[in-house]
Amino acid sequence: MSAGRLGRTAAFRSLAGDAGLEPAGLVQPIFIRHGADGPRPIESMPGQFQHSVASAARFAAEAAEAGIGAVMPFAIPSEKDELGTEASDPEGIMQRALRAIAEEVGDTVVVIGDVNLDEYTTHGHTGVLDAAGEVDNDASIASFARVAVAQADAGAAMVAPSGMMDGQVAAIRDALDGAGHEEVGIMAYAAKFASGFYGPFRGAVESSLTGNRRSYQQYPGNSREALIEAALDVEEGADIVMVKPALPYLDVIDAISSRNELPVAAYQVSGEYVMVEAAAREGVVDRAAAIEETLLAIRRAGATTIITYWATEFATSGCR
Ligand code: PBG
């Protein structure tokens, strides 16, 4: 049968296609800002908002209504400090948001906490710095473990350590188990590339990063390192491994998903989102078609799970 015949109707296409875009495989990031009194537009990410705790819970309910599989809150604290103390504070913005969202959506949506210090530190780095100003691996993972437990206590069903420190998955698994959270899963950022596509997100979370993360994120020209990192995360007890960004790294998604049994998530990051939105605003690409095509490509490469700023809108209307 020729490709033309298989493409004739939607029924034919989904019968013969190898990739679907069920809402249940999509994850919606949600930004929450301490002190926000409702959704406020994010300048660097047109179409996205910084929420209050209450409006974040409403947005999560909307995502649940649309059949989205998971939500991933990111919080902007009232105060940053050297150690990122608010990240593990039970009354910190992230924990308050997790409680409100979990209460709103119950078990219908997986609530995933981002475990990291970068929104909470004055220097904007992901971990704790040593006297020389370098990220201290062991001190950082001890801190991540406390953050993960605080998030699980607040209602996160899964945590996603994004700090790229060695041994972070094992340390978090131990800490969660020790705190009685054996049921809480880990989505590990196995491959997080030092990417130019995170720029708009840093605006969204008001990051104070100076310098860069090249010493602990991966070099975009190296895919073998990503495979090793993914294998380590699997060994350390990850439940899902993640590749980030998504579209520039389809080969890595493909390689990781064909080499291990775990589900593979891909994070379609802020720069990927903004590129399509900007081109659509310029009238040079068809927005809905471009969005769907990026999601299909990521899915086709082997991602079971896609974190995308379009999740709820795509599930609701196909972004049309
Ligand atoms: C770390 C984190 C970042 C993103 C997700 N988690 C920022 C970074 O590493 O600088 C970026 C996601 C995006 O660009 O959409 N908290």
Side-chain angles (χ1 to χ4, degrees), residues 31 45 74 114 116 118-119 162 189 192 197-202 209 213 217 244 267-271 309:
F31 296 105
M45 295 180 70
F74 291 96
D114 177 61
N116 202 310
D118 52 5
E119 283 96 56
S162 58
Y189 283 63
K192 181 172 182 177
F197 292 101
Y198 305 144
F201 178 95
R202 294 186 185 154
L209 181 70
R213 304 185 202 282
Q217 295 185 349
K244 168 185 172 178
Y267 196 143
Q268 183 175 53
V269 301
S270 57
Y309 297 99

Side-chain angles (χ1 to χ4, degrees), residues 105-118:
V105 299
D107 282 338
T108 61
V109 172
V110 180
V111 181
I112 307 175
D114 177 61
V115 175
N116 202 310
L117 300 182
D118 52 5

Side-chain angles (χ1 to χ4, degrees), residues 73 75 81 83-96 98 112-121 126-128 139-163 168 171-173 175-176 179 181 184-185:
D81 61 26
L83 298 175
T85 317
E86 190 173 329
S88 53
D89 180 347
E91 289 312 313
I93 182 73
M94 181 66 155
Q95 277 61 251
R96 289 200 287 124
L98 287 168
I112 307 175
D114 177 61
V115 175
N116 202 310
L117 300 182
D118 52 5
E119 283 96 56
Y120 304 88
T121 53
T126 189
V128 178
S140 300
I141 64 176
S143 176
F144 295 165
R146 287 192 295 276
V147 173
V149 170
Q151 293 184 350
D153 286 345
M158 185 160 226
V159 294
S162 58
Q168 62 180 9
I172 288 171
R173 185 68 273 158
L176 288 172
H181 290 301
V184 171

Side-chain angles (χ1 to χ4, degrees), residues 102-283:
E103 203 167 292
E104 182 75 35
V105 299
D107 282 338
T108 61
V109 172
V110 180
V111 181
I112 307 175
D114 177 61
V115 175
N116 202 310
L117 300 182
D118 52 5
E119 283 96 56
Y120 304 88
T121 53
T122 37
H123 44 74
H125 280 284
T126 189
V128 178
L129 303 186
D130 64 19
E134 300 290 326
V135 177
D136 180 332
N137 194 90
D138 294 354
S140 300
I141 64 176
S143 176
F144 295 165
R146 287 192 295 276
V147 173
V149 170
Q151 293 184 350
D153 286 345
M158 185 160 226
V159 294
S162 58
M164 296 305 284
M165 296 293 127
D166 295 335
Q168 62 180 9
V169 172
I172 288 171
R173 185 68 273 158
D174 267 3
L176 288 172
D177 292 349
H181 290 301
E182 289 88 355
E183 79 293 355
V184 171
I186 299 179
M187 178 186 273
Y189 283 63
K192 181 172 182 177
F193 289 92
S195 173
F197 292 101
Y198 305 144
F201 178 95
R202 294 186 185 154
V205 299
E206 303 171 28
S207 163
S208 38
L209 181 70
T210 51
N212 61 64
R213 304 185 202 282
R214 264 175 241 135
S215 63
Y216 49 90
Q217 295 185 349
Q218 293 162 14
Y219 173 58
N222 187 344
S223 61
R224 290 175 188 278
E225 189 185 10
L227 299 179
I228 296 169
E229 292 287 341
L232 285 174
D233 284 345
V234 173
E235 242 170 70
E236 287 182 33
D239 299 287
I240 301 181
V241 285
M242 192 214 285
V243 175
K244 168 185 172 178
L247 203 58
Y249 298 95
L250 295 179
D251 59 318
V252 177
I253 297 171
D254 179 30
I256 291 182
S257 65
S258 46
R259 277 176 184 71
N260 76 77
E261 312 295 313
L262 293 185
V264 177
Y267 196 143
Q268 183 175 53
V269 301
S270 57
E272 298 178 71
Y273 168 85
V274 165
M275 272 198 301
V276 173
E277 291 290 349
R281 264 197 317 281
E282 289 293 318

Side-chain angles (χ1 to χ4, degrees), residues 62-84:
E62 224 178 278
E65 188 69 24
I68 294 301
V71 295
M72 193 183 252
F74 291 96
I76 300 123
S78 58
E79 255 176 74
K80 301 182 191 240
D81 61 26
E82 216 23 48
L83 298 175

